[in-house]
């Protein structure tokens, strides 16, 4: 598709596409890489390398840029959520494999899709990186310009030709408006970050250190609450049945971003699916018109009924499927909080036994897979659930609605009456077996207050006869039970396939459910890295270490202020080294020897160190002569500083 591509539509004449979004995506890689290099230059590395000594200009620069911390980021969660929403259209393009080049052999499709996914991720990398960088001033400026360019280009692309080949009129407006709204929010957000950084720079406003703190405030409040006696408060119906808000718990940015992305992708997917159903309805209508005009073929009632029933069922089930899918998106958040809290208290009973100690590598990979798989599960779950609902809806219409409409209500009632009566008799016989077993074949209660009789057989001879005769009839009942089990599995499987937090397989086969394994692995990573008790403990260690270093540095500063000279770090290290060697002369023997070519010189150095260590040890013990070096012992309690 060229930049001057034109498209002819009967509703709007001819429209021109002034911008090719695929070409712009390719061209955006160059400024994206430049922005990444700029942010990397401003990012300092904690550990310096040899290249820093050779090139003094670097001084620890060109650090690794992080687009988004998917584990421990609890601030600006909705900002990252809107950043995920801005890429919803590109995610849907990847879902439909639109970035797959033509002519790719079948065996290389996976690699080609990987290249396309990396290209899309690299083109939107600056938006996330500018939000995450510590250099807020530069990040806000570059992020604002980059988001503004994407917003302007997308707007021109929509205004130039708002129609399309799939939906038709205003197709691009319907599909692209969520991404435009998210880009507009990001533009305003970058302006806010720029103004705030300027105010901090001039000293009008203090920097917010809460975002950079090791221990978030809500996790600290959670730990404090553990030491207090719980207070029982009456809960409303909404808190008891739907959701109970916890001020000491926050969802990480990964969960918020995945939720926003799932909802927007679901909106686009439903819009495209509705267009497909409309196209099928139009096709059936054209078939009806053609058959009505055919000579000798006047019976078109069946196709008219098929078209009417399909339109009604698809319209009704669309709302039902969307409702369930949207509720699943939010219910997964509720399950995430419930499961992660259970792991915090050491409760693993809700997990399969094989998943109590998962492999660490699988958990890390599961964390990387979760967001993408969650979106795909929601979309595929909606489609499968919708198709199953349409199938059952058409079955209901043709088995109940149309027979009543055609005056066959009496025959329908007779057939359903026989079926219901047969089913009722089967249920009664199944329940009667339970009642007979409870009355005749179980011993009496041990205590009158027991809820049920003990599991102890009574009237064994009668029970064996009962078991023998009902064996033949239970073969027939087993067939009905098997069919009922199959139907229940089909319905529940289609309804719950979007639920990645719940396995659809039986106990013992959970490891074959890759989606559920991804959910469990993600939970374990969050449990080990964001557990409030563990994070609070690590924060105490870091705080005590920082205080100790501060006291030590203040002591050396006082000494240096008295002498009038500045004490360098090298001098401190040498003094501590001398103190350690005086306290432990035996360590002189283990010190590093410079590599010399002459072996005789090396032996002399070793011998001199042995004598020196022996003399120092003798002096420390107030002895008159040197002692045997084998009898020298190292004193415990001293640190080694070299």
């Amino acid at each position: 598709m060229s930049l001057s591509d034109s498209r002819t539509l009967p509703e709007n004449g001819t429209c021109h596409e002034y911008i090719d979004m695929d070409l712009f995506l390719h061209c955006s890689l160059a400024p994206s890489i430049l922005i990444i290099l700029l942010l990397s230059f401003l990012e300092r590395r904690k550990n310096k390398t040899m290249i820093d000594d050779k090139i003094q200009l670097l001084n620890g620069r060109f650090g690794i840029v992080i687009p988004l911390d998917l584990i421990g980021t609890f601030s600006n969660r909705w900002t990252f959520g809107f950043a995920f929403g801005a890429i919803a259209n590109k995610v849907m393009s990847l879902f439909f494999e639109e970035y797959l080049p033509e002519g790719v052999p079948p065996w290389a499709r996976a690699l080609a899709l990987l290249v396309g996914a990396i290209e899309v991720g690299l083109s939107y990398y600056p938006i996330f990186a500018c939000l995450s960088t510590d250099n807020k001033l530069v990040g806000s400026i570059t992020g604002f310009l980059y988001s503004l360019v994407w917003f302007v280009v997308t707007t021109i692309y929509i205004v130039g030709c708002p129609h399309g080949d799939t939906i038709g009129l205003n197709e691009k407006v319907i599909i692209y408006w969520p991404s435009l709204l998210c880009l507009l929010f990001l533009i305003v957000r970058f302006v806010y970050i720029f103004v705030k950084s300027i105010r901090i720079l001039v000293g009008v406003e203090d920097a917010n250190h809460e975002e950079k703190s090791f221990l978030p405030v809500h996790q600290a409040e959670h730990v404090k609450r553990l030491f207090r006696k719980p207070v029982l408060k009456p809960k409303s119906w909404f808190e008891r049945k739907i959701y109970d808000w916890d001020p000491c718990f926050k969802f990480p940015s990964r969960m918020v971003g995945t939720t926003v992305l799932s909802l927007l992708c679901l909106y686009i997917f439903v819009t495209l699916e509705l267009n497909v159903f409309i196209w099928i309805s139009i096709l059936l209508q054209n078939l009806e018109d053609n058959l009505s005009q055919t000579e000798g073929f006047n019976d078109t009632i069946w196709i008219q009924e098929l078209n009417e029933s399909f339109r009604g069922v698809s319209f009704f089930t669309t709302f039902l499927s969307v409702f369930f899918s949207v509720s699943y998106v939010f219910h997964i958040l509720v399950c995430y909080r419930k499961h992660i809290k259970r792991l915090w208290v050491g409760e693993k009973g809700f997990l399969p036994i094989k998943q109590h100690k998962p492999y660490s590598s699988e958990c890390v990979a599961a964390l990387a897979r979760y967001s993408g798989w969650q979106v795909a599960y929601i979309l595929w779950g909606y489609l499968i659930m919708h198709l199953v609902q349409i199938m059952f809806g058409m079955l209901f219409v043709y088995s109940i609605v149309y027979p009543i409409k055609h005056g066959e209500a009496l025959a329908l009632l007779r057939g359903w009456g026989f079926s219901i009566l047969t089913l009722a008799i089967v249920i009664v016989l199944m329940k009667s077996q339970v009642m007979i077993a409870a009355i005749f074949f179980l011993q009496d209660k041990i205590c009158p207050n027991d809820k049920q009789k003990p599991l102890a057989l009574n009237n064994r001879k009668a029970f064996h006869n009962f078991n023998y005769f009902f064996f033949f009839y239970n073969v027939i009942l087993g067939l009905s039970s098997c069919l009922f089990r199959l139907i229940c599995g089909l319905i529940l499987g289609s309804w719950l396939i979007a639920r990645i937090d719940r396995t659809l397989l039986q106990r013992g086969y959970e490891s074959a459910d890759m989606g559920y394994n991804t959910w469990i692995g993600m939970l374990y990573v969050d449990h080990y890295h964001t557990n409030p008790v563990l994070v609070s403990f690590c924060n105490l260690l870091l705080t005590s270490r920082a205080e100790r270093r501060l006291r030590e540095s203040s002591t050396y500063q006082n000494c240096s202020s008295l002498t009038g000279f500045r004490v360098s770090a090298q001098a401190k290290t040498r003094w501590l080294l001398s103190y350690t060697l005086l306290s432990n002369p035996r360590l002189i023997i283990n010190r590093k020897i410079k590599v010399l070519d002459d072996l005789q010189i090396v032996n002399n150095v070793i011998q001199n160190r042995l004598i020196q260590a022996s003399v120092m040890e003798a002096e420390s013990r107030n002895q008159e002569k040197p002692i045997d070096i084998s009898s020298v012992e190292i004193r415990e309690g001293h640190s080694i500083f070299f």
Side-chain angles (χ1 to χ4, degrees):
M1 187 185 300
S2 60
L3 292 175
S4 60
D5 186 21
S6 62
R7 178 174 297 160
T8 303
L9 293 174
E11 296 85 353
N12 197 32
T14 303
C15 61
H16 299 274
E17 290 186 349
Y18 300 101
I19 294 178
D20 185 355
M21 293 301 293
D22 294 337
L23 180 60
F24 178 75
L25 180 68
H26 301 325
C27 297
S28 66
L29 296 181
S32 176
I33 294 175
L34 293 177
I35 294 175
I36 294 173
L37 291 176
L38 174 62
L39 297 177
S40 178
F41 177 76
L42 298 176
E43 190 77 20
R44 292 183 180 272
R45 289 175 276 106
K46 294 183 178 180
N47 299 324
K48 295 184 178 181
T49 58
M50 296 178 61
I51 193 173
D52 295 317
D53 299 331
K54 297 180 180 179
I55 305 177
Q56 299 295 332
L57 181 62
L58 292 180
N59 193 19
R61 299 185 183 275
F62 284 104
I64 298 178
V65 180
I66 300 176
L68 173 62
D69 182 5
L70 295 176
I71 301 177
T73 302
F74 297 98
S75 59
N76 299 325
R77 297 173 297 163
W78 287 105
T79 301
F80 287 108
F82 279 97
F84 275 104
I87 64 175
N89 296 97
K90 302 302 178 184
V91 171
M92 289 302 299
S93 299
L94 293 173
F95 182 79
F96 290 112
E97 300 183 357
E98 294 182 3
Y99 290 102
L100 186 65
E102 297 181 359
V104 176
W107 61 268
R109 288 174 60 91
L111 297 177
L113 292 174
L114 175 62
V115 173
I118 293 176
E119 183 181 17
V120 172
L122 187 61
S123 63
Y124 284 92
Y125 193 99
I127 296 178
F128 292 93
C130 292
L131 291 173
S132 302
T133 182
D134 294 332
N135 301 279
K136 299 298 182 181
L137 185 61
V138 178
S140 60
I141 296 174
T142 54
F144 170 80
L145 296 176
Y146 195 78
S147 302
L148 182 63
V149 170
W150 269 101
F151 180 82
V152 172
V153 169
T154 307
T155 305
I156 295 175
Y157 174 70
I158 295 174
V159 174
C161 186
H163 314 297
D165 296 331
T166 305
I167 299 178
L169 288 176
N170 300 321
E171 173 184 335
K172 297 176 183 176
V173 179
I174 296 174
I175 294 179
Y176 278 89
W177 75 263
S179 295
L180 282 179
L181 182 63
C182 293
L183 287 172
L184 183 61
F185 175 85
L186 291 175
I187 291 172
V188 177
R189 179 64 181 175
F190 280 123
V191 172
Y192 171 78
I193 295 175
F194 174 76
V195 174
K196 185 177 181 180
S197 59
I198 291 296
R199 291 173 59 87
I200 294 174
L201 187 63
V202 298
V204 178
E205 184 178 350
D206 296 333
N208 187 11
H209 299 287
E210 181 180 345
E211 297 181 359
K212 300 180 181 179
S213 61
F214 183 81
L215 178 63
V217 176
H218 69 279
Q219 291 188 346
E221 294 296 330
H222 175 81
V223 176
K224 292 180 181 178
R225 188 172 61 181
L226 296 178
F227 290 96
R228 295 193 295 263
K229 185 178 180 180
V231 180
L232 298 179
K233 297 181 180 180
K235 296 182 179 180
S236 62
W237 177 87
F238 184 85
E239 293 175 342
R240 286 185 282 104
K241 299 295 183 180
I242 299 179
Y243 185 75
D244 184 12
W245 181 69
D246 186 1
C248 299
F249 182 88
K250 284 186 177 181
F251 293 100
S253 299
R254 177 189 66 257
M255 301 301 297
V256 177
T258 304
T259 300
V260 175
L261 184 60
S262 300
L263 293 176
L264 295 182
C265 290
L266 181 63
Y267 162 77
I268 298 174
F269 190 82
V270 172
T271 304
L272 297 176
E273 187 202 39
L274 284 176
N275 180 75
V276 174
F277 289 154
I278 294 173
W279 177 80
I280 294 175
S281 179
I282 294 174
L283 185 64
L284 292 175
Q285 184 66 39
N286 294 334
L287 180 60
E288 179 185 353
D289 296 338
N290 294 333
L291 291 178
S292 62
Q293 297 175 3
T294 303
E295 296 181 359
F297 192 88
N298 298 323
D299 188 11
T300 60
I301 298 178
W302 65 274
I303 193 171
Q304 182 180 359
E305 292 180 348
L306 177 63
N307 192 9
E308 292 177 355
S309 60
F310 177 77
R311 282 186 297 180
V313 170
S314 61
F315 180 78
F316 175 76
T317 54
T318 297
F319 288 96
L320 191 61
S321 301
V322 169
F323 172 77
F324 279 113
S325 299
V326 173
S327 64
Y328 287 163
V329 172
F330 292 102
H331 187 70
I332 287 173
L333 293 177
V334 178
C335 291
Y336 171 81
R337 190 185 71 168
K338 179 175 62 175
H339 291 173
I340 202 70
K341 282 188 173 182
R342 288 182 178 180
L343 289 177
W344 285 352
V345 298
E347 181 184 348
K348 299 181 181 180
F350 66 98
L351 298 176
I353 298 178
K354 295 181 180 179
Q355 300 291 348
H356 285 189
K357 293 183 179 180
Y359 291 101
S360 303
S361 57
E362 293 180 356
C363 293
V364 175
L367 180 71
R369 291 194 304 259
Y370 170 73
S371 296
W373 282 30
Q374 180 64 82
V375 176
Y377 271 58
I378 290 295
L379 297 181
W380 280 114
Y382 164 79
L383 179 61
I384 295 173
M385 179 170 54
H386 195 190
L387 293 178
V388 173
Q389 288 180 359
I390 290 176
M391 181 183 67
F392 280 100
M394 296 295 290
L395 182 63
F396 174 79
V397 170
Y398 275 94
S399 60
I400 296 179
V401 177
Y402 281 153
I404 296 176
K405 183 179 179 181
H406 295 159
E408 300 176 358
L410 186 59
L412 176 66
L413 184 60
R414 186 183 300 110
W416 277 98
F418 291 152
S419 300
I420 294 175
L421 181 60
T422 304
L423 181 62
I425 293 174
V426 171
I427 295 175
V428 168
L429 289 175
M430 292 177 62
K431 294 296 182 180
S432 64
Q433 296 183 44
V434 179
M435 295 178 61
I436 292 172
I439 296 174
F440 299 104
F441 302 131
L442 286 178
Q443 298 179 11
D444 296 334
K445 295 181 179 180
I446 299 176
C447 296
N449 296 329
D450 292 343
K451 294 183 179 180
Q452 59 181 357
K453 294 181 178 181
L455 187 57
L457 289 176
N458 192 13
N459 301 323
R460 290 175 176 266
K461 293 183 178 181
F463 170 74
H464 293 320
N465 284 275
F466 169 82
N467 192 15
Y468 174 80
F469 286 106
F470 265 94
F471 163 76
F472 300 98
Y473 185 72
N474 285 329
V475 173
I476 304 174
L477 292 180
L479 176 61
S480 303
S481 176
C482 181
L483 294 177
F484 180 77
R485 181 185 186 187
L486 180 62
I487 295 174
C488 290
L490 175 62
I491 296 175
L492 292 178
S494 62
W495 245 263
L496 299 177
I497 194 171
R499 293 280 301 276
I500 197 172
D501 62 300
R502 181 185 293 272
T503 180
L504 299 180
L505 303 180
Q506 297 179 355
R507 180 177 298 179
Y509 298 91
E510 298 93 347
S511 58
D513 192 342
M514 293 186 292
Y516 186 61
N517 292 335
T518 299
W519 171 263
I520 294 176
M522 180 268 299
L523 288 178
Y524 270 104
V525 174
D526 283 352
H527 167 57
Y528 280 105
H529 289 80
T530 62
N531 192 316
V533 177
L534 179 61
V535 175
S536 300
F537 175 72
C538 295
N539 183 69
L540 291 176
L541 295 180
L542 293 175
T543 304
S544 61
R545 180 185 179 188
E547 292 176 353
R548 185 175 66 253
R549 287 187 174 183
L550 181 61
R551 289 195 300 267
E552 293 177 355
S553 61
S554 61
T555 302
Y556 286 118
Q557 288 177 0
N558 294 333
C559 294
S560 61
S561 62
L562 293 175
T563 57
F565 297 98
R566 177 179 177 272
V567 181
S568 63
Q570 186 178 10
K572 297 176 187 177
T573 304
R574 289 180 176 177
W575 186 89
L576 294 173
L577 173 63
S578 302
Y579 179 78
T580 303
L581 294 179
L582 288 173
S583 301
N584 300 275
R586 185 70 170 79
L587 297 177
I588 298 176
I589 305 172
N590 298 326
R591 293 199 66 194
K592 182 180 178 182
I593 302 175
K594 295 182 178 180
V595 180
L596 300 174
D597 297 334
D598 194 348
L599 184 60
Q600 183 65 30
I601 298 178
V602 174
N603 294 331
N604 293 336
V605 171
I606 296 175
Q607 187 66 25
N608 292 334
R609 288 187 176 182
L610 288 172
I611 297 174
Q612 184 181 5
S614 178
V615 171
M616 292 178 61
E617 184 68 19
E619 291 178 353
S620 63
R621 296 185 178 183
N622 295 325
Q623 295 183 2
E624 297 180 356
K625 61 179 181 179
I627 61 175
D628 187 14
I629 195 63
S630 60
S631 64
V632 178
E633 297 179 356
I634 301 177
R635 299 180 183 177
E636 298 180 356
H638 298 283
S639 303
I640 302 174
F641 295 89
F642 61 95

